[in-house]
Amino acid sequence: MAEILVLGAGMVGVSTGLALQARGHQVTIVERGSPGRETSYGNAGLIQTEAVEPYAMPLSPWVLAQIALGRGYDVRWNIPGLMSQVGAVLSYARNSLPSAHRRATITWGKLIRQSTERHAPLVQAAGADNLIRRDGYIEIHRTPKAMAKARIAAKRFLDEFGVEAKLMDGAELRGLEPAIKVEVEGATHWRDAWACSDPGGLVAAYANLFEKQGGRIVNGDAGDLHRDGNGWRADDYTGEHAVIALGPWSPMLLARYGLNVPMVYKRGYHRHYHMETPPNHPIADFGNSVVLSPMRRGLRIATAAELTSHPRLAPPQLRHGEEAARELFDIGAPVEAEPWTGRRPCMPDMLPVIGKVPDQPNLWAHFGHGHQGFTLGPVTAEILADEIDGGEGWAALQPARLKH
Ligand SMILES: Cc1cc2nc3c(=O)[nH]c(=O)nc-3n(C[C@H](O)[C@H](O)[C@H](O)COP(=O)(O)OP(=O)(O)OC[C@H]3O[C@@H](n4cnc5c(N)ncnc54)[C@H](O)[C@@H]3O)c2cc1C
């Protein structure tokens, strides 16, 4: 059994700690803040077994023209934000072509389908059942055209992947979600997914479980990671192995160890709003590029992607999302003075990076989960733990693919 340092206590790092601990290793997690307070705090809280295809970049000329002109709310950008990651963005575009996307989907789908079964024992052992609902989320379709597309998508998901979804008309939707106050054409109920009412709270509960079982979480800066004999040292802590699970901060550290990681940083925002009668499920209003999740703190409005180097104080995507949400529901004032913001750590080939860092004995990578790291943390933690214990790992996920 080994002493292992895990750098970062987001969903991915904490899940790594738990998976290694279950195999008998002595694990120390080094975190500069508190567990689950960064990207793993700010997401929409969905544990998405239905998300069997990774999130491709839209490539239709019309959509690209809209994005270029700064119209629509799915992808926003500014010049410094785009230029700082242009190589990674172009590579993401190439990998979004149908044949490459199909290849990524084969691996991605195998990961995602394990997600609820990997979370289930952790939720139970952590006593976090009160944070989880197991009855899916609802994607609304405001127009007949959107509803027709949804029918095709639902059939394709069933035929190709065996993912079941229930299509509803406006009346059925109102039965399920009486708080919706306008006529909506219909909806898709993705029933397999789970919803978490406090994503940061779930990571904190997993972190408590890890400590109760003998793991250590220490405050420290992983940025000064360096070799220590055959092993590694970060701050005052040492281990035979070290795992980099720093989410969007991982590439910065790996650059020091000879691995150039081309990440696309898709910034998202959220804000909570007071609400007397919240919806019963998270409501995805993709036509307006937002997910509206009932959370402990209020209704969380979470936005799509922004390629910017610095966050905006008044993000247009959030302003638009709030307008769309107010059409649907009676919503009160914002809970926080300012919106939260964070960056999805997205790899251009849409697959997370899991395995041995090339040329660096006993250094391991575990990051790049993009749009679904909250879902996938416990799944990929198991794959990495097995590889550290001598297993083969998954070839398609290896960091060696980044080395040219
Ligand atoms: C708006 C939005 C909505 C999303 N919705 C969903 C969703 O519904 N479902 C889903 O599955 N995913 C969702 N995601 C994606 C998901 O949140 C991320 O993929 C996931 O949280 C990444 O987890 P992580 O542990 O890799 O990173 P993080 O949670 O960011 O953890 C990294 C940790 O490293 C620490 N750290 C960084 N630098 C140092 C250092 N030098 N020293 C020590 N510690 C350090 C940080 O403090 C942090 O705690 C969403 C993301 C966004 C932004």
Side-chain angles (χ1 to χ4, degrees):
M1 294 305 112
E3 296 237 346
I4 302 180
L5 291 179
V6 174
L7 311 178
M11 177 56 91
V12 173
V14 172
S15 300
T16 310
L18 285 163
L20 289 167
Q21 183 180 64
R23 289 163 176 263
H25 298 293
Q26 190 55 49
V27 185
T28 300
I29 300 182
V30 182
E31 164 62 49
R32 68 178 170 195
S34 303
R37 298 309 295 171
E38 293 286 353
T39 332
S40 300
Y41 163 77
N43 53 67
L46 301 175
I47 296 178
Q48 291 189 263
T49 30
E50 93 301 341
V52 287
E53 288 181 323
Y55 204 93
M57 187 182 287
L59 291 178
S60 94
W62 191 83
V63 175
L64 286 176
Q66 296 296 304
I67 294 172
L69 294 169
R71 300 208 183 116
Y73 295 93
D74 254 355
V75 184
R76 285 292 179 110
W77 57 281
N78 67 12
I79 288 174
L82 191 58
M83 293 321 286
S84 64
Q85 49 189 322
V86 71
V89 172
L90 290 174
S91 167
Y92 201 135
R94 277 195 300 278
N95 283 304
S96 299
L97 291 166
S99 59
H101 185 243
R102 259 195 305 277
R103 260 198 314 278
T105 297
I106 292 170
T107 305
W108 180 263
K110 284 188 204 148
L111 296 173
I112 214 94
R113 293 315 297 265
Q114 299 178 41
S115 53
T116 47
E117 81 199 44
R118 288 283 178 209
H119 274 277
L122 302 181
V123 168
Q124 197 197 6
D129 215 45
N130 58 328
L131 301 182
I132 300 293
R133 280 192 62 147
R134 295 175 172 77
D135 56 356
Y137 74 95
I138 291 175
E139 180 183 347
I140 61 161
H141 312 296
R142 293 192 187 228
T143 62
K145 191 173 160 201
M147 189 66 214
K149 271 193 179 167
R151 280 200 192 91
I152 295 169
K155 179 165 177 349
R156 189 172 73 78
F157 268 58
L158 183 62
D159 293 349
E160 287 184 24
F161 308 112
V163 173
E164 289 186 24
K166 184 174 180 331
L167 293 163
M168 292 181 282
D169 61 19
E172 265 181 290
L173 173 63
R174 265 195 311 283
L176 203 60
E177 292 294 350
I180 294 183
K181 59 182 187 178
V182 290
E183 288 293 325
V184 169
E185 183 67 19
T188 308
H189 187 177
W190 298 101
R191 290 193 288 198
D192 284 354
W194 290 4
C196 175
S197 60
D198 180 357
L202 186 65
V203 179
Y206 286 2
N208 285 340
L209 173 67
F210 168 77
E211 287 188 302
K212 223 168 64 193
Q213 294 176 160
R216 252 192 335 169
I217 302 182
V218 296
N219 239 203
D221 181 9
D224 84 335
L225 182 76
H226 54 274
R227 282 219 160 270
D228 185 61
N230 290 331
W232 294 93
R233 172 180 289 271
D235 238 318
D236 293 335
Y237 308 98
T238 55
E240 291 161 54
H241 300 263
V243 179
I244 298 177
L246 296 169
W249 294 275
S250 305
M252 228 156 52
L253 184 55
L254 273 163
R256 278 188 21 219
Y257 292 101
L259 197 61
N260 179 23
V261 179
M263 191 174 268
V264 176
Y265 300 91
K266 295 194 197 171
R267 185 176 292 288
Y269 299 87
H270 85 229
R271 202 170 190 185
H272 295 98
Y273 294 78
H274 293 289
M275 193 169 179
E276 283 205 355
T277 321
N280 296 317
H281 304 82
I283 306 289
D285 184 0
F286 292 134
N288 287 296
S289 313
V290 277
V291 178
L292 315 173
S293 303
M295 296 264 172
R296 278 178 154 181
R297 288 176 68 81
L299 185 74
R300 177 178 289 190
I301 301 183
T303 67
E306 193 187 71
L307 306 178
T308 46
S309 45
H310 295 89
R312 301 178 203 250
L313 267 181
Q317 287 162 305
L318 189 59
R319 193 197 58 233
H320 177 78
E322 183 183 334
E323 279 165 19
R326 286 189 188 284
E327 272 170 28
L328 289 176
F329 298 112
D330 284 324
I331 296 171
V335 172
E336 300 94 354
E338 283 177 14
W340 172 90
T341 183
R343 298 168 304 160
R344 298 171 183 88
C346 299
M347 298 306 298
D349 62 4
M350 288 164 270
L351 295 175
V353 184
I354 300 162
K356 278 190 179 78
V357 175
D359 311 323
Q360 298 294 338
N362 298 344
L363 186 61
W364 304 87
H366 192 193
F367 59 84
H369 296 68
H371 289 251
Q372 266 94 22
F374 187 66
T375 298
L376 285 178
V379 176
T380 53
E382 199 46 49
I383 293 169
L384 181 74
D386 183 61
E387 193 180 341
I388 292 178
D389 272 356
E392 287 188 354
W394 284 26
L397 306 177
Q398 290 298 321
R401 73 188 196 269
L402 305 175
K403 215 166 149 72
H404 300 294

